[in-house]
Amino acid sequence: PAMKTKDFAFKVKATDDGGAIEGYASVFGVRDSYNEVVLPGAFADSLARHQREGTYPLMLWQHNPDEPIGVWHELADDGKGLYGKGQLLRGVRRADEALIMLKAGAIQGMSIGYREVDVEPAKDGDPRRLAKLDLLEASIVSFPANRRSRVEVVKQILQDGALPSLPEFEKFLREAGFSKTQAAGIASRGLAHLLRSESEGDEANSATALLKALRG
């Protein structure tokens, strides 16, 4: 299967001038903008195999295989999330830049590259449940949330037959570039109308109904 990526806010617990970093790269049990949730233990088998083989997932800059910026000394699936300790390689230009920006809080993102091994499909409005993943690399990235997949996310939600909640829909709109006021207005006028219609037994196609509601 093809490699997928998933972005997280990287909660940096510690950084020092030597380039040592540690923090959480993934938090389990949280429904994300892909309408997916990573289950506790999802990385356990993959990390155990890396340990047996004496390898670690790569530390890259922005998923670019031509730009390794450091090494991971420890990655642990601790039931709360994927916890990483690593070393940015001082003297490597991108690593030096990443360290400066991490220490200043200018970048706070980590994104993992993985292959799906065992996934439970979305059903009854619940998210896809990622039970087992093969962890290939963990990158330092500029953004802690993947903005490129918003259209695909909305399509997936509609295909699954479930509508996003109002807060989720407002979040999609905000990340697409709408202001807070605009997002709230679109969500309350469009999605709220659609949710009301569905609760009253309206069998209209979800996507068509939403478009009609947005047009007024």
Side-chain angles (χ1 to χ4, degrees), residues 60-65 67 69 94 101 107 111 137 139-143 148:
L60 302 177
W61 174 252
Q62 310 279 13
H63 296 296
N64 187 345
E67 291 190 305
I69 57 172
R94 286 293 195 195
M101 291 187 283
I107 57 175
S111 185
E137 53 98 351
S139 289
I140 304 297
V141 296
S142 301
F143 298 103
R148 293 167 298 182

Side-chain angles (χ1 to χ4, degrees), residues 109-122:
M110 177 176 282
S111 185
I112 59 171
Y114 62 93
R115 291 194 183 97
E116 294 181 348
V117 179
D118 183 11
V119 175
E120 301 170 21

